[in-house]
Amino acid sequence: GPLTFFQTYVEDAFEERNWVEHVKLRDFVRGILTACPYPSKTFFSRSSDDTSMLDDVADRFSREQQTLAQDFLARYIEANRSLQSKNFIKGLCSTINFPSVRKFSAELIDGWMISSKEHIKNPARELFQKICVECCTQSEEDQECCSLLIHKMAKIMNFLDVSVSYIQL
């Protein structure tokens, strides 16, 4: 059923990305992403063509199925947190509507943003932007996420200051 599609999506989105970015599967992927709570503009742009398709599939996932999807996603991320590759970060970006994903991402964002590896930094910047846009509820997880981001930004800005000073020498 829909949960199986979501689990398969997560496994590909966080690892090899063999099919999740394929142009011919765009609508299929969008349908799967309706499992995520409150689809927003960060998932995909909603042109007039997209709106009717999204409205048709938006109710496929019940609250119970969304909870199961979130539980699977949380277990998957925790079990694979050592991956921390470009694709892992892209997978986080695509599932950022889950509060637990925002919190997990906020906990690690500073390490990725100050990484010496450009292939990690660029998706980390996109992830940071998406966290900021989506972190808009009054939930305890989002409040913790905002607090983490404020703390992490101080660390990131400090690192950037040191890096700029070092380069100028």
Side-chain angles (χ1 to χ4, degrees):
L3 188 57
T4 302
F5 286 129
F6 180 75
Q7 291 170 341
T8 303
Y9 168 82
V10 167
E11 290 167 357
D12 191 54
F14 280 74
E15 294 178 31
E16 297 298 317
R17 301 187 76 81
N18 290 318
W19 59 271
V20 298
E21 294 178 335
H22 196 283
V23 174
K24 291 183 179 180
L25 296 174
R26 185 175 143 203
D27 288 340
F28 179 67
V29 169
R30 288 179 178 187
I32 292 171
L33 289 177
T34 62
C36 300
Y38 315 113
S40 75
K41 62 185 173 221
T42 61
F43 264 160
F44 31 74
S45 63
R46 289 185 71 157
S47 69
S48 58
D49 296 338
D50 297 335
T51 303
S52 62
M53 189 278 301
L54 289 174
D55 290 341
D56 291 342
V57 297
D59 293 328
R60 285 190 188 167
F61 259 67
S62 68
R63 237 337 153 208
E64 181 180 325
Q65 287 175 316
Q66 278 189 357
T67 301
L68 291 172
Q70 181 161 334
D71 291 346
F72 169 79
L73 183 58
R75 284 191 314 275
Y76 181 86
I77 289 171
E78 193 55 43
N80 293 287
R81 79 183 297 147
S82 63
L83 287 176
Q84 299 193 18
S85 65
K86 172 179 134 181
N87 289 345
F88 185 80
I89 296 170
K90 283 181 155 188
L92 292 171
C93 284
S94 70
T95 55
I96 202 69
N97 283 40
F98 285 104
S100 59
V101 174
R102 290 193 293 275
K103 186 173 178 241
F104 174 83
S105 300
E107 290 170 355
L108 299 174
I109 195 72
D110 58 327
W112 294 327
M113 288 185 75
I114 63 176
S115 171
S116 61
K117 300 173 184 171
E118 283 302 315
H119 72 281
I120 296 289
K121 271 190 212 182
N122 293 334
R125 287 184 192 121
E126 179 185 350
L127 178 62
F128 178 76
Q129 291 172 342
K130 289 185 178 209
I131 296 168
C132 291
V133 168
E134 294 301 324
C135 197
C136 58
T137 70
Q138 295 299 317
S139 72
E140 185 177 325
E141 284 176 314
D142 274 355
Q143 289 179 4
E144 288 178 36
C145 185
C146 287
S147 178
L148 279 167
L149 287 178
I150 291 167
H151 175 73
K152 300 291 183 166
M153 280 313 297
K155 182 177 177 182
I156 292 167
M157 296 308 285
N158 221 5
F159 175 80
L160 292 176
D161 258 359
V162 171
S163 296
V164 170
S165 297
Y166 179 74
I167 291 170
Q168 290 175 346
L169 296 175

